[in-house]
Amino acid sequence: MKQFSDDKYRSADPRFLRAGRLLAGVFCLASGLACAQTYPNKTIKIVVPWPAGGATDSAGRMMAQRLSERMSTPVIVENKGGAAGTIGAESVARSPADGYTLLVASAETHAIAPNLRAKLSYEPLKDFVAIMPFAINPFSLVSRPALPANTTKELIAQIRAQPGKFTYSSAGLGSASQIAMETLKGLAGLNILHVPFQGQAPAITSLMGGQTDLQMLPAGSASTMRKAGKVKVFAVTTQARFFDMPDVPTLREEGFESMNFANWFGLVAPANLPPAIAQRLATEIAAVLKSTDTHAMLQKIGLDVYPAMSPPEFQKFLEAEMTRWGGVIRSANIKTE
């Protein structure tokens, strides 16, 4: 009985508690290192939190293909769209932190959603481990081909003359395409009705079908569709012109100095991923991004390579993006509808 009593008091002694925590930490580290040494030994799944057919999906599939080639293991894509990327993001946040379920994170999932949604089912900075960004996706202001305007100035004058007549489609409530258009609306004093869709692909379909008039479309998609005569492109949303449409001005050149919008894509994993596995993935992604083939593949789908970052640098980038997009959303008084 006395021995039991001694054990009880010993277990409450702070020295023994600290020793226990230290041993537990050593065990977890050893376990993580052991996992990293055998990783990967089964299929890796990359969740794209949007339907198939959009820029995020294309970027995710490119990265899955390149990682599969480098790591000699199957890497598959699972599309899990809805709620501007947050449904897919939540599913990954609740997945095992073993490196076999990853998320294509973007401005929507990790910077816009926490600033726009009162109730978010995950915490972007706490529920994920940042691995590395890999692509950047500029936007462009486009319209259906039959719209009778040929320049940004003509387009704005036409919309102002007929307030409430025009509509724009977006990839969804809280999507980067919506935020970019709502910002332009505020700066230019435009009255345009928002028609949200569940992903970029159906939003484009509505534009081409004439159901909607305008859209902030990824510049790569806009370039391809422009060549086919399917859209008019008025301007791009970044500070510099887009590599595949050098004749198209920026909105900054058109007088909107603060318009600087581009989405980005990066891989993140559930929180508590062993650091050794995170570093292995970061190393492989960095190698993928150095390849000229990767640059060509990304430019073919209208994207560009995002400069490589270490996992800690990417984490700081995510924090900065949450602050930046939050300022944009508040300044434009954007709310979910």
Side-chain angles (χ1 to χ4, degrees), residues 76-187:
I76 64 170
V77 167
E78 178 181 323
N79 294 92
K80 193 169 289 189
T86 59
I87 290 176
E90 180 191 4
S91 75
V92 175
R94 306 293 174 248
S95 298
D98 55 9
Y100 292 100
T101 303
L102 309 175
L103 173 72
V104 178
S106 65
E108 283 107 347
T109 60
H110 278 64
I112 295 173
N115 284 293
L116 201 57
R117 298 176 181 272
K119 294 181 180 179
L120 194 61
S121 52
Y122 62 90
E123 293 188 54
L125 300 179
K126 292 183 179 179
D127 290 343
F128 296 93
V129 170
I131 300 174
M132 186 175 292
F134 63 88
I136 187 167
N137 184 27
F139 288 100
S140 57
L141 175 62
V142 308
S143 77
R144 53 185 174 81
L147 200 70
N150 295 306
T151 66
T152 301
K153 289 180 174 61
E154 290 177 3
L155 177 65
I156 289 174
Q158 190 174 86
I159 295 171
R160 285 175 175 166
Q162 303 174 81
K165 176 183 177 180
F166 296 94
T167 59
Y168 82 91
S169 55
S170 80
L173 292 170
S175 63
S177 57
Q178 182 207 1
I179 305 301
M181 184 64 89
E182 290 294 325
T183 302
L184 179 62
K185 281 174 57 178
L187 292 172

Side-chain angles (χ1 to χ4, degrees), residues 3-26:
Q3 181 63 44
F4 175 81
S5 178
D6 286 346
D7 287 344
K8 176 181 177 181
Y9 287 112
R10 184 179 294 115
S11 66
D13 190 312
R15 292 172 298 171
F16 290 101
L17 291 175
R18 286 194 294 271
R21 292 192 190 102
L22 178 61
L23 287 172
V26 170

Side-chain angles (χ1 to χ4, degrees), residues 33-51:
L33 289 172
C35 289
Q37 288 173 353
T38 60
Y39 175 85
N41 57 20
K42 62 179 182 179
T43 299
I44 298 171
K45 178 174 67 178
I46 296 178
V47 173
V48 171
W50 297 91

Side-chain angles (χ1 to χ4, degrees), residues 7-317:
D7 287 344
K8 176 181 177 181
Y9 287 112
R10 184 179 294 115
S11 66
D13 190 312
R15 292 172 298 171
F16 290 101
L17 291 175
R18 286 194 294 271
R21 292 192 190 102
L22 178 61
L23 287 172
V26 170
F27 175 79
C28 290
L29 178 61
S31 176
L33 289 172
C35 289
Q37 288 173 353
T38 60
Y39 175 85
N41 57 20
K42 62 179 182 179
T43 299
I44 298 171
K45 178 174 67 178
I46 296 178
V47 173
V48 171
W50 297 91
T56 316
D57 178 60
S58 297
R61 291 181 187 278
M62 182 284 300
M63 183 52 68
Q65 176 187 333
R66 303 297 281 163
L67 284 178
S68 181
E69 293 167 356
R70 279 200 57 84
M71 302 178 80
S72 300
T73 197
V75 182
I76 64 170
V77 167
E78 178 181 323
N79 294 92
K80 193 169 289 189
T86 59
I87 290 176
E90 180 191 4
S91 75
V92 175
R94 306 293 174 248
S95 298
D98 55 9
Y100 292 100
T101 303
L102 309 175
L103 173 72
V104 178
S106 65
E108 283 107 347
T109 60
H110 278 64
I112 295 173
N115 284 293
L116 201 57
R117 298 176 181 272
K119 294 181 180 179
L120 194 61
S121 52
Y122 62 90
E123 293 188 54
L125 300 179
K126 292 183 179 179
D127 290 343
F128 296 93
V129 170
I131 300 174
M132 186 175 292
F134 63 88
I136 187 167
N137 184 27
F139 288 100
S140 57
L141 175 62
V142 308
S143 77
R144 53 185 174 81
L147 200 70
N150 295 306
T151 66
T152 301
K153 289 180 174 61
E154 290 177 3
L155 177 65
I156 289 174
Q158 190 174 86
I159 295 171
R160 285 175 175 166
Q162 303 174 81
K165 176 183 177 180
F166 296 94
T167 59
Y168 82 91
S169 55
S170 80
L173 292 170
S175 63
S177 57
Q178 182 207 1
I179 305 301
M181 184 64 89
E182 290 294 325
T183 302
L184 179 62
K185 281 174 57 178
L187 292 172
L190 305 178
N191 181 353
I192 314 172
L193 177 65
H194 179 208
V195 183
F197 289 84
Q198 291 294 332
Q200 196 70 60
I204 293 172
T205 299
S206 78
L207 186 71
M208 290 192 300
Q211 285 81 43
T212 50
D213 302 304
L214 304 162
Q215 192 176 340
M216 283 293 186
L217 185 63
S221 299
S223 178
T224 300
M225 294 173 67
R226 181 194 190 206
K227 291 170 185 174
K230 294 180 178 179
V231 297
K232 285 184 179 180
V233 182
F234 296 93
V236 295
T237 61
T238 44
Q239 299 287 284
R241 295 192 179 197
F242 184 58
F243 68 86
D244 202 34
M245 295 188 291
D247 60 315
V248 174
T250 67
L251 282 171
R252 183 182 185 183
E253 291 175 77
E254 297 290 347
F256 301 99
E257 290 283 335
S258 60
M259 287 296 294
N260 184 23
F261 288 91
N263 204 352
W264 46 262
F265 306 128
L267 288 184
V268 299
N272 301 316
L273 180 73
I277 292 180
Q279 188 55 56
R280 169 72 193 282
L281 285 166
T283 299
E284 298 294 353
I285 295 168
V288 166
L289 297 181
K290 288 179 181 177
S291 166
T292 55
D293 289 344
T294 299
H295 286 237
M297 290 174 73
L298 283 173
Q299 290 204 341
K300 188 175 181 180
I301 58 177
L303 308 176
D304 219 338
V305 169
Y306 208 103
M309 298 181 188
S310 67
E313 287 171 337
F314 188 28
Q315 181 67 30
K316 290 181 180 178
F317 170 82

